[in-house]
């Protein structure tokens, strides 16, 4: 249980600071002790309320024209995602997605160095949005989704706000599916209840840190977490 508390505090500190990557941190820490089939539903039960809190915290920065179409893409992404899951090696899919995330993170890094930010191509944004829907909707991984939202928002508050709204839509869908398929059990539900205080501590420490740290530094941290997420996807599925 101590290991779970440490994982929850660390994961949701990153969540409060960057708006995503809690799944990466939580899974990485717990994978040494617990099977992934038990980690994903537990992280979902903790991530759902954290997204509600972040969305409320940054509610003034929500851009519905950004998050609603993306939320629809995330849910639509389940259709080809489920097909690929049934008919292909999911490790290959995750490796390809990981490479895409790394490349986008590197491109974002160089974009940040430019004095004037160029407007992203609607076609490129549409492709990223649909692929992010497949990755996030099927595997619960928000790295590509974060890359999309980073491109269409101007500051960290708007980034966290709109990303949280999309995550809420995705989390709602996954909670329903996990309950229907009995992936969320009574034991996992009780574990999540016990870990909620740890999640709240990490989340609010992360939110407070985001107010103190420089805006450019936080954006760089977001890019670093994106690249690390991509690397984790690739390396974990090369085994």
């Amino acid at each position: 249980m101590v290991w779970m508390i440490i994982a929850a505090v660390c994961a949701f500190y990153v969540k409060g600071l960057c708006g995503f990557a809690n799944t990466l941190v939580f899974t990485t820490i717990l994978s040494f002790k617990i099977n992934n089939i038990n980690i994903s539903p537990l992280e979902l039960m903790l991530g759902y309320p954290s997204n509600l809190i972040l969305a409320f915290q940054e509610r003034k920065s929500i851009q519905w024209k950004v998050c609603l179409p993306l939320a629809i893409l995330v849910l639509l992404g389940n259709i080809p995602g489920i097909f690929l899951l049934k008919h292909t090696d999911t490790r290959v899919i995750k490796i390809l997605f990981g490479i895409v995330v790394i490349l986008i993170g590197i491109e974002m890094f160089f974009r940040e160095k430019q004095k004037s930010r160029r407007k992203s191509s609607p076609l490129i944004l549409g492709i990223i949005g649909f692929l992010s829907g497949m990755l996030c909707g099927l595997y619960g991984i928000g790295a590509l989704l974060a890359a999309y939202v980073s491109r269409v928002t101007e500051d960290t508050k708007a980034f966290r706000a709109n990303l949280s709204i999309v995550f809420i839509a995705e989390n709602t869908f996954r909670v329903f599916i996990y309950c229907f398929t009995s992936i969320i059990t009574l034991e996992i539900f009780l574990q999540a209840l016990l870990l909620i205080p740890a999640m709240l501590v990490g989340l609010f420490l992360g939110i407070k840190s985001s107010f103190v740290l420089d805006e450019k530094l936080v954006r760089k941290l977001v890019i670093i977490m994106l690249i690390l997420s991509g690397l984790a996807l690739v390396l974990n599925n090369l085994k």
Side-chain angles (χ1 to χ4, degrees):
M1 194 65 187
V2 173
W3 204 241
M4 288 186 178
I5 292 171
I6 293 171
V9 172
C10 292
F12 288 95
Y13 174 81
V14 173
K15 173 77 169 180
L17 182 62
C18 298
F20 76 110
N22 46 297
T23 303
L24 168 66
V25 176
F26 195 76
T27 303
T28 301
I29 294 174
L30 288 187
S31 60
F32 295 104
K33 300 278 185 179
I34 303 172
N35 292 329
N36 281 341
I37 189 65
N38 296 320
I39 295 174
S40 294
L42 181 59
E43 195 280 330
L44 174 62
M45 296 297 291
L46 295 174
Y48 201 168
S50 74
N51 286 313
L52 292 170
I53 292 168
L54 277 178
F56 180 78
Q57 176 83 23
E58 308 291 2
R59 59 192 180 280
K60 293 182 180 179
S61 298
I62 294 172
Q63 299 164 272
W64 294 106
K65 64 180 181 180
V66 170
C67 59
L68 287 182
L70 187 53
I72 293 171
L73 280 173
V74 167
L75 298 181
L76 288 176
N78 281 270
I79 299 170
I82 291 170
F83 177 82
L84 289 172
L85 181 64
K86 288 184 176 181
H87 299 284
T88 62
D89 185 347
T90 57
R91 290 190 306 165
V92 174
I93 299 170
K94 289 185 179 182
I95 289 170
L96 291 175
F97 273 128
I99 292 170
V100 171
V101 170
I102 293 169
L103 292 175
I104 290 174
I106 293 171
E107 190 269 346
M108 286 170 61
F109 176 78
F110 286 106
R111 274 165 60 93
E112 285 295 312
K113 288 183 173 292
Q114 296 174 357
K115 292 183 179 179
S116 59
R117 297 180 66 185
R118 291 178 297 173
K119 190 174 181 180
S120 297
S121 162
L123 176 61
I124 296 298
L125 286 176
I127 293 171
I128 294 174
F130 186 73
L131 290 177
S132 69
M134 290 175 60
L135 184 62
C136 186
L138 185 56
Y139 303 120
I141 299 168
L144 198 53
L145 185 59
Y148 178 101
V149 177
S150 178
R151 282 170 168 264
V152 295
T153 52
E154 295 297 326
D155 55 49
T156 305
K157 287 188 174 183
F159 173 78
R160 287 203 305 259
N162 291 285
L163 191 59
S164 295
I165 291 293
V166 180
F167 277 143
I168 289 169
E170 186 271 337
N171 287 174
T172 301
F173 181 82
R174 268 205 299 151
V175 164
F176 174 78
I177 294 297
Y178 281 14
C179 288
F180 182 76
T181 55
S182 300
I183 293 175
I184 293 178
T185 62
L186 179 60
E187 181 183 358
I188 288 173
F189 179 75
L190 293 176
Q191 283 179 337
L193 285 180
L194 291 174
L195 289 173
I196 281 179
M199 178 274 286
L200 291 173
V201 169
L203 184 69
F204 285 112
L205 285 175
I207 292 172
K208 291 296 181 183
S209 296
S210 70
F211 291 144
V212 175
L213 295 176
D214 179 71
E215 173 77 21
K216 290 183 178 179
L217 177 59
V218 174
R219 290 188 72 87
K220 287 179 181 177
L221 288 172
V222 167
I223 293 171
I224 290 170
M225 293 310 300
L226 271 175
I227 295 173
L228 289 177
S229 297
L231 282 172
L233 267 177
V234 173
L235 295 176
N236 287 341
N237 290 281
L238 283 175
K239 298 176 182 179

